[in-house]
Amino acid sequence: MYTDKVMDHFTNPRNVGEIKDAAGVGEVGNAKCGDIMRIYLQVENDIITDVKFKTFGCGAAIATSSMVTEMVKGKTLDEALEISNQAVAEALGGLPPAKMHCSNLAADALHEAIKDYIAKKGK
Ligand SMILES: [Zn+2]
């Protein structure tokens, strides 16, 4: 039911952990499977130089978290804001329809972290 790519990111997730004194932190959750995702960003000159995540949730939530961290590293904040939940799911080769709500967490948490960074900077 999951693609090889989803299984790969689920069993071997990238960028797990947290960043101390992160420039921005975003947290979202969904009630459907109780997934909670937190993303930490390090930003320099509007470029995301480091990103880590902590996710408590189902396989799809962990795989999409891992994938989104790979997608945003080295991107500008504007580029990162354009990453959609759909793009993350597509990068994983698709998700089962029943699990699409889990993929919604990854890009949402990323966008929250960017908003947090912008709010802290007072832009
Ligand atoms: Zn889930």
Side-chain angles (χ1 to χ4, degrees), residues 17-19 22 24-25 38-42 50-52 54:
E18 59 187 280
I19 297 172
V25 180
R38 193 177 290 160
I39 281 193
Y40 303 83
L41 297 178
Q42 207 54 271
D50 199 12
V51 49
K52 295 237 186 288
K54 273 191 172 172

Side-chain angles (χ1 to χ4, degrees), residues 28-116:
V28 292
N30 81 50
K32 262 198 175 156
C33 10
D35 302 319
I36 298 173
M37 179 182 303
R38 193 177 290 160
I39 281 193
Y40 303 83
L41 297 178
Q42 207 54 271
V43 180
E44 273 170 47
N45 299 323
D46 284 349
I47 290 171
I48 295 170
T49 54
D50 199 12
V51 49
K52 295 237 186 288
F53 80 91
K54 273 191 172 172
T55 294
F56 302 92
C58 65
I62 290 166
T64 50
S65 308
S66 171
M67 177 52 86
V68 83
T69 60
E70 287 216 311
M71 290 168 77
V72 299
K73 221 181 241 190
K75 289 238 159 61
T76 66
L77 295 176
D78 286 343
E79 286 168 342
L81 280 170
E82 278 171 20
I83 293 174
S84 65
N85 294 318
Q86 190 63 36
V88 178
E90 276 169 17
L92 285 165
L95 283 167
K99 286 292 177 186
M100 280 308 290
H101 68 270
C102 307
S103 76
N104 293 345
L105 290 175
D108 287 354
L110 169 69
H111 296 169
E112 286 301 315
I114 293 170
K115 280 184 213 156
D116 180 49

